Amino acid sequence: MTQTPYEIIGQDALYNMIDYFYSLVEKDDRINHLFPGDFSETSRKQKQFLTQFLGGPPLYSEEHGHPMLKRRHLDFKISNYERDAWLENMYSAIQHAQLPAGVGDYLFERLRLTANHMVNSEI
């Protein structure tokens, strides 16, 4: 039986990576204004989403319904600048997590495609 990326990474490593990611975002003036002052709820939702996104239990959908990522992000101006800042912080978090060989690259590529989809402004 093939393991999902979620099973390969494991909940603890994934959650630690997300906590580290938001510690970076909180200090990043390029994008921290897009998030509420308290990052704990945003982090909790990201944990739910990435668990589901990587083949784990559907935690996000069970609590919030279909992710509808593009629609949920329409209230925020996301240009290539914000996307790149988000991806830079995520790349650092993935590297910091020291995920098993190949899994970090896979995760970053999937998130890169998703981040490209979130862009909703040219400026």
Side-chain angles (χ1 to χ4, degrees), residues 16 19 22 28 38 52 63 66 70 73 91 107 116 118 123:
N16 288 336
D19 287 339
Y22 281 110
D28 190 333
D38 177 10
Q52 180 170 323
E63 183 173 336
H66 189 283
K70 184 103 173 168
H73 289 81
Y91 183 81
L107 175 57
N116 285 335
M118 294 298 103
I123 54 167

Side-chain angles (χ1 to χ4, degrees), residues 17-91:
M17 182 198 81
I18 293 166
D19 287 339
Y20 184 74
F21 168 74
Y22 281 110
S23 76
L24 297 173
V25 169
E26 192 169 3
K27 298 173 202 152
D28 190 333
D29 292 336
R30 298 173 297 171
I31 56 171
N32 58 13
H33 63 279
L34 296 172
F35 297 87
D38 177 10
F39 282 79
S40 59
E41 180 62 10
T42 304
S43 179
R44 185 182 77 82
K45 286 180 180 177
Q46 182 74 275
K47 289 170 183 171
Q48 291 176 322
F49 175 74
L50 284 181
T51 294
Q52 180 170 323
F53 185 73
L54 294 170
L59 303 177
Y60 188 92
S61 292
E62 286 174 354
E63 183 173 336
H64 309 285
H66 189 283
M68 299 180 293
L69 290 181
K70 184 103 173 168
R71 191 165 120 208
R72 290 184 195 268
H73 289 81
L74 283 178
D75 291 342
F76 308 101
K77 180 188 84 88
I78 303 172
S79 70
N80 290 344
Y81 178 78
E82 288 83 11
R83 176 205 61 201
D84 291 349
W86 190 93
L87 284 170
E88 181 183 306
N89 286 299
M90 184 56 76
Y91 183 81

